[in-house]
């Protein structure tokens, strides 16, 4: 750096003491300038370092943000899929409940039909026990009632006949006090058939004859 002509003239006119003072003042100014430059340089370096650190942190944060965004996207997709699966499962559950209700109704219907089917054979078995020959199986209700009345009349006739027989026997014994009447083999329920005392046709056969009329 070149000193101007004016400064050279001033320095040339100055004595040694004045020059020392100027040099001292200039040195102080130079040192202050160096201090200011050092301070500013240090501050700039600090700013540069902080800037570099901020850039590094920003880069790291950006990378982490990308990872978080990627994870968030994956979780959002998984959540939507889970919600879809939950909705489908709820629908399947409701369908299963509806199907269960239909099956229960069908089961009740089948059990009712089965119950009605099992009652019929029981009734048939009872009828076979009462009427093994099937004599009155084809009778109508009115016809069956009519036959029951006929059987009742026949039973009444048998009772009347038995009473008449006992009455006639008692009268014969009174009218023939000296005669020993043979009563062995005599039975009010027997009848004379082909010149012999024989057992009558069984009541069951008579009932069958009545029903077959």
């Amino acid at each position: 750096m070149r000193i101007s002509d004016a400064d050279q003239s001033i320095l040339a006119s100055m004595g040694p003491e004045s020059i020392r003072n100027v040099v001292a003042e200039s040195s102080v100014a130079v040192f202050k300038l160096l201090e200011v430059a050092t301070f500013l340089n240090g501050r700039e370096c600090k700013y540069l370092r902080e800037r570099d650190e901020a850039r590094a942190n920003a880069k790291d944060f950006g990378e982490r943000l990308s990872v978080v965004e990627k994870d968030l996207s994956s979780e959002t997709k998984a959540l939507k899929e889970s919600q879809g699966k939950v909705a489908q499962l709820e629908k399947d559950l409701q369908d299963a409940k509806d199907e269960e209700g239909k099956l229960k109704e069908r089961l009740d219907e089948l059990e009712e039909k089965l119950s009605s089917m099992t009652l019929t054979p029981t009734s048939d078995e009872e009828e076979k026990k009462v009427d093994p020959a099937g004599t009155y199986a084809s009778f109508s209700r009115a016809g069956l009632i009519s036959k029951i009345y006929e059987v009742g009349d026949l039973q009444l006739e048998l009772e009347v006949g038995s009473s008449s027989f006992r009455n006639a026997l008692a009268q014969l014994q009174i009218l023939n006090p000296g005669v020993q009447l043979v009563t062995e083999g005599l039975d009010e329920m027997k009848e004379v058939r082909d010149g012999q005392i024989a057992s009558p046709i069984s009541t069951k056969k008579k009932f069958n004859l009545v029903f077959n009329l």
Side-chain angles (χ1 to χ4, degrees):
M1 182 176 179
R2 183 176 179 277
I3 301 175
S4 65
D5 294 339
D7 290 336
Q8 290 180 6
S9 297
I10 293 172
L11 289 174
S13 63
M14 294 175 63
E17 186 66 27
S18 297
I19 292 174
R20 283 196 297 270
N21 291 334
V22 171
V23 170
E25 292 176 359
S26 298
S27 299
V28 171
V30 170
F31 284 124
K32 286 185 177 181
L33 180 61
L34 290 175
E35 290 177 356
V36 171
T38 301
F39 172 77
L40 294 176
N41 186 43
R43 187 174 64 177
E44 183 179 3
C45 291
K46 179 182 178 182
Y47 290 159
L48 291 174
R49 184 172 61 254
E50 291 177 354
R51 183 199 64 184
D52 294 339
E53 291 177 356
R55 286 179 177 177
N57 291 333
K59 182 179 180 181
D60 182 62
F61 181 77
E63 292 176 353
R64 286 185 294 168
L65 181 61
S66 298
V67 173
V68 171
E69 289 177 347
K70 184 177 180 180
D71 293 341
L72 178 61
S73 177
S74 300
E75 293 296 333
T76 302
K77 182 179 179 181
L79 178 60
K80 290 181 179 180
E81 292 178 354
S82 299
Q83 290 175 344
K85 290 180 180 179
V86 170
Q88 183 63 38
L89 290 174
E90 289 178 349
K91 183 178 181 301
D92 294 342
L93 178 61
Q94 186 61 40
D95 293 342
K97 288 182 178 179
D98 295 340
E99 187 66 22
E100 181 185 13
K102 293 179 181 179
L103 290 175
K104 285 183 178 180
E105 292 178 358
R106 180 59 177 168
L107 180 61
D108 293 339
E109 292 178 0
L110 292 175
E111 288 181 349
E112 184 177 355
K113 289 182 179 180
L114 180 61
S115 178
S116 62
M117 291 175 64
T118 54
L119 289 176
T120 302
T122 303
S123 178
D124 293 342
E125 291 295 332
E126 292 178 355
E127 289 181 2
K128 288 180 180 179
K129 290 180 180 179
V130 176
D131 181 30
T135 304
Y136 66 92
S138 60
F139 278 19
S140 64
R141 182 181 179 86
L144 183 60
I145 293 175
S146 176
K147 291 300 180 182
I148 290 174
Y149 279 123
E150 291 181 11
V151 172
D153 294 339
L154 178 61
Q155 183 68 27
L156 180 60
E157 291 177 1
L158 291 175
E159 292 178 356
V160 172
S162 176
S163 177
S164 298
F165 173 80
R166 291 193 298 272
N167 183 44
L169 180 59
Q171 291 182 26
L172 286 174
Q173 290 176 343
I174 292 174
L175 294 174
N176 299 280
V179 179
Q180 183 68 31
L181 296 177
V182 178
T183 60
E184 184 179 356
L186 187 64
D187 192 334
E188 62 185 16
M189 298 302 296
K190 291 184 178 181
E191 61 184 16
V192 177
R193 190 168 61 249
D194 297 332
Q196 295 181 353
I197 297 176
S199 298
I201 301 175
S202 65
T203 304
K204 184 176 181 180
K205 290 183 179 179
K206 288 183 179 180
F207 287 169
N208 290 335
L209 289 174
V210 171
F211 278 115
N212 291 328
L213 291 178

